[in-house]
């Protein structure tokens, strides 16, 4: 195992290029189950989650190769519809194979994801949607056993907005008989990206980016060639905050300004200079960080995946900030670790009351999830002395060489064995 060490106090300057989005590429990989033949994607980030999804697709019978950001998958000889516990327990997004497996084989056996570091995270909406489409579902020996010789389009009202739930049902219904209408569908850009790719494959879908998505089932989909994966808005957001924390001056290249709207709006309130330029986003930190309140919400609201990083920024704000988490009400593992670095944070229900302090001090830390780990690396950038972030594998699941990119911007950051 490795840990990340950060020596604080360096101003970040320069340019950073954003990688492809984790939460876009995982459903895109699952979508290939619906086709026969070879699909290729470019701008695929080098992440452990991509490796896990590749492993899962290989178990299902796909040929998967990855080289220099290009992922190639041949799904002609898929012959297995079982997603085993050993993989699903390491990555919940594995559940995204459920919908396409039922569509392709009329059956699927997928391990039911258990609890998670950021909350309970049930998948009842996925199962409800598949049930409405006509799948027969039971839970046995920890597995979802789904069968359906034929899926029929229908109206599916989601009780809550769910990103992978919307994606899973969409993946199941593109080959169903007739029309499916998803109500209260998720509007996240990664859902829109999936629609975009499914349409390239030949699917008929309308309403992407809105909360009503209509899918007219088709008989067959074809592989997609050379699709460039959209940039990761959470990685871009993490660099926006890195610059804000270090009074930095960074050009964030290859990212979409509009997808980071809620975060950028908050950073402007905080006093950070953020501007859109042709090649990306320019961000310059200021010497005074104004405290602001944050509430995580479905897109286009403030993303839960940026809540931890924003808490780091608010830890050194000039005043009081209330951070309310409405998506995963227990997603506060970072709060206790930030406190160990000197932050003044009190948790009250699903809110954190953060009273800004003048500085943080480096400490050994550990966090049990991806974004919490990122928030600690960010804290290390401005803390006095050295910060250790144990279990770097959490970061490697979802950030493409975050430490190397920060180092290139001037951070003192390296890895050690632990
Ligand atoms: N929920 C249910 N029932 C369901 C599905 C969801 O109650 O059947 C609840 C969840 O417990 C949560 C809320 O609905 O309270 C929203 O969860 P959602 O289903 O949207 O989350 P997800 O699809 O499991 C994706 C991302 C997460 C991101 C969330 C929210 C992927 C692979 N994962 O998860 O990403 O936090 O949407 O935007 O797309 C991350 O990248 O660090 C990460 C956790």
């Amino acid at each position: 195992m490795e840990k990340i060490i950060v020596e604080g106090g360096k101003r970040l300057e320069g340019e950073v290029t954003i990688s492809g989005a984790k939460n876009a590429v995982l459903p895109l990989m699952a979508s290939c189950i619906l086709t026969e033949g070879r699909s290729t994607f470019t701008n695929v980030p080098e992440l452990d989650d991509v490796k896990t999804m590749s492993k899962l697709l290989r178990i299902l019978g796909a040929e998967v190769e990855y080289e220099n950001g290009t992922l190639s998958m041949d799904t002609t000889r898929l012959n297995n519809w079982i997603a085993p516990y050993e993989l699903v327990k390491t990555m919940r997004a594995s559940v995204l194979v459920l919908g396409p497996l039922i569509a392709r084989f009329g059956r699927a056996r997928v391990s039911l994801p258990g609890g998670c570091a950021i909350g309970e995270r049930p998948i009842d909406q996925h199962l409800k949607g598949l049930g409405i489409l006509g799948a027969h579902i039971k839970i046995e020996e920890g597995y979802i056993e789904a069968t359906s010789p034929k899926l029929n389009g229908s109206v599916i009202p989601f009780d809550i907005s769910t990103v992978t739930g919307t994606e899973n049902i969409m993946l199941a219904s593109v080959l169903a008989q007739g029309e499916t209408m998803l109500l209260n569908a998720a509007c996240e850009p990664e859902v829109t990206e999936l629609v975009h790719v499914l349409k390239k494959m030949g699917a008929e879908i309308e309403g992407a980016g809105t909360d009503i998505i209509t899918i007219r089932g088709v008989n067959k989909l074809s592989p997609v060639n050379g699709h460039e994966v959209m940039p990761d808005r959470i990685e871009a957001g993490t660099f926006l905050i890195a610059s804000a924390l270090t009074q930095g001056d960074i050009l964030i290249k290859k990212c979409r300004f509009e997808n980071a709207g809620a975060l950028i709006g908050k950073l402007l309130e905080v006093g950070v200079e953020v501007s859109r330029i042709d090649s990306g986003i320019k961000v310059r930190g200021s010497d005074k960080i104004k405290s602001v309140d944050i509430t995580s919400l479905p897109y286009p609201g403030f993303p839960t995946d940026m809540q931890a990083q924003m808490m780091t920024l608010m830890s050194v704000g000039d005043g009081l900030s209330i951070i309310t988490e409405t998506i995963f009400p227990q997603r506060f593992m970072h709060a206790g670790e930030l406190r160990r670095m000197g932050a003044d944070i009190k948790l009250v229900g699903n809110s954190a009351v953060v009273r800004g302090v003048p500085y943080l001090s480096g400490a050994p830390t550990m966090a049990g999830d991806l974004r919490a780990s990122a928030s600690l690396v960010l804290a290390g950038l401005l803390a006095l002395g050295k910060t250790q972030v144990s279990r770097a594998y959490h970061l490697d699941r979802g950030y493409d060489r975050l430490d190397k990119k920060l180092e290139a911007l001037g951070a003192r950051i390296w890895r050690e064995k632990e």
Side-chain angles (χ1 to χ4, degrees):
M1 255 197 305
E2 287 178 327
K3 62 186 169 191
I4 294 199
I5 318 286
V6 194
E7 214 172 73
K10 296 276 180 210
R11 178 167 190 258
L12 299 191
E13 273 177 302
E15 296 182 357
V16 61
T17 301
I18 297 307
S19 300
K22 166 178 88 78
N23 290 346
V25 75
L26 298 175
L28 297 188
M29 291 174 78
S31 74
C32 293
I33 295 174
L34 300 167
T35 68
E36 284 186 21
R38 185 172 292 277
S39 286
T40 55
F41 297 94
T42 60
N43 198 33
V44 174
E46 201 171 334
L47 304 176
D48 284 355
D49 275 10
V50 170
K51 289 181 193 148
T52 305
M53 191 57 118
S54 302
K55 222 187 249 181
L56 176 53
L57 285 161
R58 282 192 195 107
I59 288 176
L60 301 176
E63 284 172 24
V64 187
E65 283 155 35
Y66 179 84
E67 207 181 329
N68 288 333
T70 298
L71 185 75
S72 151
M73 274 176 298
D74 191 333
T75 46
T76 311
R77 281 186 285 276
L78 284 196
N79 56 2
N80 181 15
W81 45 86
I82 302 173
Y85 175 64
E86 290 64 33
L87 283 181
V88 180
K89 77 172 181 204
T90 63
M91 187 184 73
R92 298 178 63 82
S94 311
V95 80
L96 281 166
V97 301
L98 179 61
L101 281 178
I102 304 172
R104 174 145 181 179
F105 292 110
R107 61 188 298 189
R109 185 168 197 262
V110 175
S111 176
L112 187 66
C116 167
I118 65 175
E120 192 199 353
R121 301 183 76 180
I123 58 155
D124 57 301
Q125 297 301 306
H126 304 227
L127 302 184
K128 166 180 144 172
L130 292 170
I132 296 174
L133 290 174
H136 180 68
I137 291 175
K138 52 186 180 166
I139 308 293
E140 263 183 15
E141 299 167 344
Y143 279 75
I144 306 155
E145 304 269 2
T147 46
S148 174
K150 203 170 94 195
L151 295 173
N152 286 306
S154 193
V155 174
I156 300 180
F158 289 109
D159 296 336
I160 39 130
S161 173
T162 157
V163 176
T164 50
T166 301
E167 292 165 346
N168 225 343
I169 303 309
M170 209 150 67
L171 288 165
S173 57
V174 277
L175 291 177
Q177 183 86 36
E179 187 173 281
T180 298
M181 189 181 271
L182 308 182
L183 304 177
N184 195 19
C187 305
E188 269 67 4
E190 293 76 16
V191 176
T192 304
E193 172 90 343
L194 176 60
V195 170
H196 193 52
V197 166
L198 288 170
K199 284 169 94 167
K200 282 188 179 177
M201 290 174 166
E204 291 185 19
I205 308 176
E206 274 163 31
T210 76
D211 57 5
I212 301 181
I213 298 180
T214 309
I215 302 136
R216 264 177 308 279
V218 295
N219 290 329
K220 193 174 176 323
L221 294 179
S222 317
V224 65
N225 194 7
H227 175 81
E228 183 179 343
V229 177
M230 65 179 282
D232 195 309
R233 64 193 166 104
I234 306 302
E235 187 195 5
T238 304
F239 282 102
L240 278 163
I241 293 193
S243 186
L245 277 166
T246 61
Q247 294 180 41
D249 191 354
I250 304 183
L251 172 61
I252 304 176
K253 288 167 67 174
K254 240 179 134 184
C255 60
R256 296 183 188 164
F257 185 93
E258 65 282 8
N259 286 352
L263 171 64
I264 289 172
K266 282 294 168 187
L267 290 177
L268 292 172
E269 274 183 57
V270 162
V272 177
E273 279 177 44
V274 187
S275 50
R276 175 184 203 160
I277 59 170
D278 271 355
S279 48
I281 304 176
K282 188 104 180 101
V283 51
R284 194 196 292 250
S286 97
D287 55 352
K288 193 165 165 193
I289 293 167
K290 189 169 166 258
S291 294
V292 293
D293 293 339
I294 305 286
T295 301
S296 67
L297 288 168
Y299 189 83
F302 191 93
T304 171
D305 293 343
M306 286 305 304
Q307 180 260 106
Q309 302 89 317
M310 195 66 186
M311 191 180 291
T312 298
L313 184 63
M314 290 298 94
S315 297
V316 289
D318 181 23
L320 192 78
S321 158
I322 298 183
I323 300 181
T324 303
E325 175 57 65
T326 72
I327 309 292
F328 299 113
Q330 295 147 33
R331 192 178 201 176
F332 285 124
M333 296 191 61
H334 41 287
E337 298 299 301
L338 288 172
R339 245 187 248 130
R340 298 189 58 255
M341 297 178 73
D344 180 350
I345 304 171
K346 284 191 185 64
L347 296 182
V348 186
N350 68 332
S351 291
V353 181
V354 187
R355 200 179 295 276
V357 294
Y359 66 92
L360 298 178
S361 63
T365 65
M366 184 175 78
D369 92 333
L370 166 61
R371 310 301 173 190
S373 304
S375 76
L376 296 173
V377 170
L378 290 176
L381 292 176
L382 98 155
L384 299 177
K386 268 189 201 167
T387 298
Q388 283 180 30
V389 184
S390 292
R391 303 190 178 175
Y393 63 82
H394 285 299
L395 274 183
D396 297 336
R397 284 190 55 184
Y399 284 96
D400 190 356
R401 295 162 290 130
L402 180 65
D403 45 332
K404 290 286 169 213
K405 290 187 183 183
L406 287 170
E407 190 183 18
L409 292 169
R412 286 264 302 137
I413 181 166
W414 65 96
R415 288 178 185 235
E416 286 178 7
K417 289 257 171 291
E418 64 178 346

